[in-house]
Amino acid sequence: MTLMVDDLDRIEHLSTLIAEWSASFLKQVDQQSVAATNHPRPLDEPLAADGLGAEETFAEFKKHLAPGLSGSVGPRYLGFVTGGVTPAAMLGDWLTAAIDQNVMVAGDSISTAVELQVIEWLRSLFELDAAYEGVLTSGATTSNLLGMLTARQFAGEIQDIDIASEGIGKAEIEIFSACPHASIRKVIGFSGMGRNAITEVPCLPGSEEMDVAALEQLLTHSQAPGKIVIASAGTVTGTDFDDLTQTTLLCKAHNAWLHVDAAFGLFSRLVPKYKSLTNGINGADSITCDGHKWLNVPYDCGIFLTKHPTLLQRTCSVSAPYLAVSDELPSLMDRGIENSRRFRALPIWMSLKAYGRQGYRDLVSRNCEQASLLADWISKSSSYELLTPCKLNVVVFRPSESKSDVQQKLTEINQTGLVYLTPGNWFGTPCIRAAFSNWRTEKADVDIVCSVL
Ligand SMILES: Cc1ncc(COP(=O)(O)O)c(C=O)c1O
């Protein structure tokens, strides 16, 4: 207890130490190795009986943990789809920890109202229908889970089964998807519908885009009263977009729930050149988007939107006398998985206020230009082959000379410490992906990546 009291007494000094270290990490991250590829581990030591206090512990962090960090906030971490962190979002996250609000039920603070405002700002940023409401989650996987649980409730109610109360029982549900992200399979497993409930819809030739004519056939012949269609707005490798206008029409005609996974693809709506990719998205019953990707707010943060907030509430809400604190605002615990919840809205609120609609438009269009520059370089190179045209922010390629050994090439590239790229698979061909989604990336970084390649 004394150690904690002492630390609180010296909190100004301790905060300054951390702030200075963090500032210098952020400023120098582009001069350090982009990834710690040497499998770093913390010291193999037992939990101490007596603590060191925060200042000495911070010294241990600098000595033993800091050398093992990745430069994922920096400009040349192009693995997976990894957002950076804007300065305002980072400061917002520091504040979130310092004030440690629990955004479970309203009634004790402004935090629920702020999250609702942030959801409304995001709806407006993406120019989505006013009917969408939602909640912040821990990421796109959790948003996809909420999408599947709400869709499952819809499919159950069609069959007079309240799945949240009665269980899935005899409900018959068929799920249709062409190129779902791996997280979709994961959450369908959690939902109790079972991964085998997915009927695979063929893709258009040479693309990850759903063949809507095939979807129409499958929906027409489906015997299941409950139907769920999962569309992609930006697949993780090819960045392909399903035809959401046609898909919406089919879903309406067959009384199917339409869930759109737009974890990063939703951001294409910010740039006029790409806006038509998501035409029809306003027909979706639910949408997944990520905050920790292209919004460049810290982990973890996802966004879930639905036109059916009461169905979401029926899916998630339980009552308990100790939680009945306020009925002025919805309880956000009734719209998601967790009861106690972090004040995730604050970093978003800070970043949207600090940089506005235009700041985010610039960020997205710059990243797309950078991806297209890299794709141009690759298509002209004799050492690499572009596997599919770059459509948004991801470049998919492979070495042309060592076709079988993509992994070895990737290891060599990443061990330079100048860039971090991750693997993928393009129609059975192992490939390398470079995904641009960090506000700090500049054209000079693309030049560095080309020189490494
Ligand atoms: C299309 C898509 N959906 C879902 C996810 C899962 O996102 P998260 O890791 O934030 O849960 C990703 C991650 O790359 C994605 O690209």
Side-chain angles (χ1 to χ4, degrees), residues 81 138-142 144 181 183 234-236 261 263-264 288 290 292-293:
V81 181
S138 60
T141 302
T142 311
N144 280 334
H181 185 264
S183 62
T235 54
V236 73
D261 182 352
F264 63 95
T288 281
D290 238 329
H292 52 223
K293 291 191 169 68

Short mmCIF file of all heavy atoms in Angstrom, two decimals, residues 81 138-142 144 181 183 234-236 261 263-264 288 290 292-293, ligand 1:
data_model
loop_
_atom_site.label_atom_id
_atom_site.label_comp_id
_atom_site.label_asym_id
_atom_site.label_seq_id
_atom_site.Cartn_x
_atom_site.Cartn_y
_atom_site.Cartn_z
N VAL A 81 -3.34 -5.59 -41.31
CA VAL A 81 -3.84 -4.24 -41.65
C VAL A 81 -3.69 -3.50 -40.33
O VAL A 81 -4.52 -3.64 -39.44
CB VAL A 81 -5.31 -4.24 -42.12
CG1 VAL A 81 -5.74 -2.82 -42.48
CG2 VAL A 81 -5.52 -5.18 -43.30
N SER A 138 -14.15 -4.39 -28.96
CA SER A 138 -12.69 -4.55 -28.84
C SER A 138 -12.03 -4.76 -30.21
O SER A 138 -10.82 -4.88 -30.28
CB SER A 138 -12.37 -5.73 -27.92
OG SER A 138 -12.92 -6.91 -28.47
N GLY A 139 -12.81 -4.83 -31.29
CA GLY A 139 -12.20 -4.99 -32.61
C GLY A 139 -13.20 -5.59 -33.58
O GLY A 139 -14.35 -5.89 -33.22
N ALA A 140 -12.75 -5.76 -34.82
CA ALA A 140 -13.67 -6.24 -35.86
C ALA A 140 -14.16 -7.66 -35.57
O ALA A 140 -15.29 -8.00 -35.92
CB ALA A 140 -12.97 -6.19 -37.21
N THR A 141 -13.33 -8.47 -34.93
CA THR A 141 -13.79 -9.83 -34.62
C THR A 141 -15.01 -9.77 -33.69
O THR A 141 -16.02 -10.45 -33.92
CB THR A 141 -12.65 -10.65 -33.97
OG1 THR A 141 -11.55 -10.66 -34.88
CG2 THR A 141 -13.07 -12.07 -33.66
N THR A 142 -14.93 -8.94 -32.66
CA THR A 142 -16.06 -8.83 -31.74
C THR A 142 -17.26 -8.20 -32.44
O THR A 142 -18.41 -8.59 -32.19
CB THR A 142 -15.66 -7.98 -30.51
OG1 THR A 142 -14.43 -8.49 -30.01
CG2 THR A 142 -16.70 -8.04 -29.43
N ASN A 144 -17.95 -8.55 -35.58
CA ASN A 144 -18.52 -9.64 -36.37
C ASN A 144 -19.32 -10.59 -35.49
O ASN A 144 -20.37 -11.10 -35.90
CB ASN A 144 -17.41 -10.41 -37.11
CG ASN A 144 -16.96 -9.68 -38.37
OD1 ASN A 144 -17.71 -8.90 -38.96
ND2 ASN A 144 -15.72 -9.93 -38.79
N HIS A 181 -13.69 -13.19 -43.88
CA HIS A 181 -12.45 -13.09 -43.11
C HIS A 181 -12.43 -14.25 -42.09
O HIS A 181 -13.49 -14.71 -41.63
CB HIS A 181 -12.42 -11.75 -42.38
CG HIS A 181 -11.14 -11.51 -41.66
ND1 HIS A 181 -10.96 -11.78 -40.32
CD2 HIS A 181 -9.96 -11.03 -42.10
CE1 HIS A 181 -9.73 -11.48 -39.97
NE2 HIS A 181 -9.09 -11.02 -41.02
N SER A 183 -11.99 -14.34 -39.11
CA SER A 183 -12.69 -14.05 -37.85
C SER A 183 -14.17 -14.39 -37.94
O SER A 183 -14.82 -14.66 -36.92
CB SER A 183 -12.51 -12.57 -37.47
OG SER A 183 -13.08 -11.75 -38.47
N GLY A 234 -14.19 -5.03 -48.72
CA GLY A 234 -12.75 -5.01 -48.56
C GLY A 234 -12.26 -6.31 -47.97
O GLY A 234 -12.21 -6.46 -46.75
N THR A 235 -11.93 -7.30 -48.84
CA THR A 235 -11.35 -8.54 -48.32
C THR A 235 -9.90 -8.25 -47.92
O THR A 235 -9.26 -7.34 -48.46
CB THR A 235 -11.39 -9.65 -49.39
OG1 THR A 235 -10.76 -9.16 -50.58
CG2 THR A 235 -12.82 -10.06 -49.71
N VAL A 236 -9.39 -9.05 -46.99
CA VAL A 236 -8.12 -8.69 -46.36
C VAL A 236 -6.93 -8.83 -47.31
O VAL A 236 -5.93 -8.14 -47.15
CB VAL A 236 -7.92 -9.50 -45.05
CG1 VAL A 236 -7.58 -10.95 -45.31
CG2 VAL A 236 -6.88 -8.85 -44.16
N ASP A 261 -18.93 -7.05 -43.51
CA ASP A 261 -17.64 -6.88 -42.82
C ASP A 261 -16.83 -5.85 -43.60
O ASP A 261 -16.32 -6.12 -44.68
CB ASP A 261 -16.91 -8.23 -42.76
CG ASP A 261 -15.58 -8.13 -42.00
OD1 ASP A 261 -15.16 -7.00 -41.66
OD2 ASP A 261 -14.96 -9.18 -41.76
N ALA A 263 -14.22 -4.00 -42.14
CA ALA A 263 -13.28 -3.70 -41.06
C ALA A 263 -12.39 -2.51 -41.40
O ALA A 263 -12.18 -1.62 -40.58
CB ALA A 263 -12.44 -4.92 -40.73
N PHE A 264 -11.86 -2.50 -42.62
CA PHE A 264 -11.09 -1.32 -43.05
C PHE A 264 -11.68 -0.71 -44.31
O PHE A 264 -11.52 0.48 -44.58
CB PHE A 264 -9.61 -1.67 -43.24
CG PHE A 264 -9.34 -2.68 -44.33
CD1 PHE A 264 -9.02 -2.28 -45.61
CD2 PHE A 264 -9.45 -4.04 -44.07
CE1 PHE A 264 -8.79 -3.22 -46.61
CE2 PHE A 264 -9.22 -4.98 -45.07
CZ PHE A 264 -8.89 -4.57 -46.35
N THR A 288 -19.64 -4.15 -39.67
CA THR A 288 -18.44 -4.18 -38.82
C THR A 288 -17.42 -3.19 -39.35
O THR A 288 -17.19 -3.12 -40.56
CB THR A 288 -17.82 -5.60 -38.88
OG1 THR A 288 -18.56 -6.46 -38.02
CG2 THR A 288 -16.36 -5.60 -38.45
N ASP A 290 -13.46 -1.23 -37.99
CA ASP A 290 -12.42 -1.25 -36.97
C ASP A 290 -11.96 0.17 -36.67
O ASP A 290 -11.86 1.01 -37.58
CB ASP A 290 -11.23 -2.08 -37.46
CG ASP A 290 -10.92 -3.23 -36.53
OD1 ASP A 290 -11.16 -3.08 -35.31
OD2 ASP A 290 -10.47 -4.27 -37.01
N HIS A 292 -9.02 0.42 -34.60
CA HIS A 292 -7.56 0.31 -34.48
C HIS A 292 -6.89 0.04 -35.84
O HIS A 292 -5.69 -0.15 -35.87
CB HIS A 292 -7.15 -0.71 -33.41
CG HIS A 292 -7.78 -2.07 -33.53
ND1 HIS A 292 -8.27 -2.75 -32.45
CD2 HIS A 292 -8.00 -2.88 -34.58
CE1 HIS A 292 -8.75 -3.93 -32.83
NE2 HIS A 292 -8.60 -4.02 -34.13
N LYS A 293 -7.66 0.03 -36.90
CA LYS A 293 -7.03 -0.05 -38.22
C LYS A 293 -6.95 1.39 -38.77
O LYS A 293 -6.17 2.20 -38.29
CB LYS A 293 -7.82 -1.01 -39.13
CG LYS A 293 -7.70 -2.47 -38.69
CD LYS A 293 -8.24 -3.42 -39.73
CE LYS A 293 -7.90 -4.86 -39.43
NZ LYS A 293 -8.57 -5.43 -38.25
C1 LIG B 1 -12.02 -7.74 -43.23
C2 LIG B 1 -11.57 -8.02 -41.83
N1 LIG B 1 -12.47 -8.44 -40.92
C3 LIG B 1 -12.12 -8.71 -39.65
C4 LIG B 1 -10.82 -8.56 -39.23
C5 LIG B 1 -10.46 -8.87 -37.80
O1 LIG B 1 -10.09 -7.69 -37.18
P1 LIG B 1 -9.59 -7.60 -35.65
O2 LIG B 1 -8.22 -8.17 -35.67
O3 LIG B 1 -9.62 -6.15 -35.39
O4 LIG B 1 -10.52 -8.36 -34.80
C6 LIG B 1 -9.86 -8.12 -40.13
C7 LIG B 1 -8.45 -7.97 -39.75
O5 LIG B 1 -7.57 -7.76 -40.55
C8 LIG B 1 -10.24 -7.83 -41.47
O6 LIG B 1 -9.36 -7.38 -42.38
#
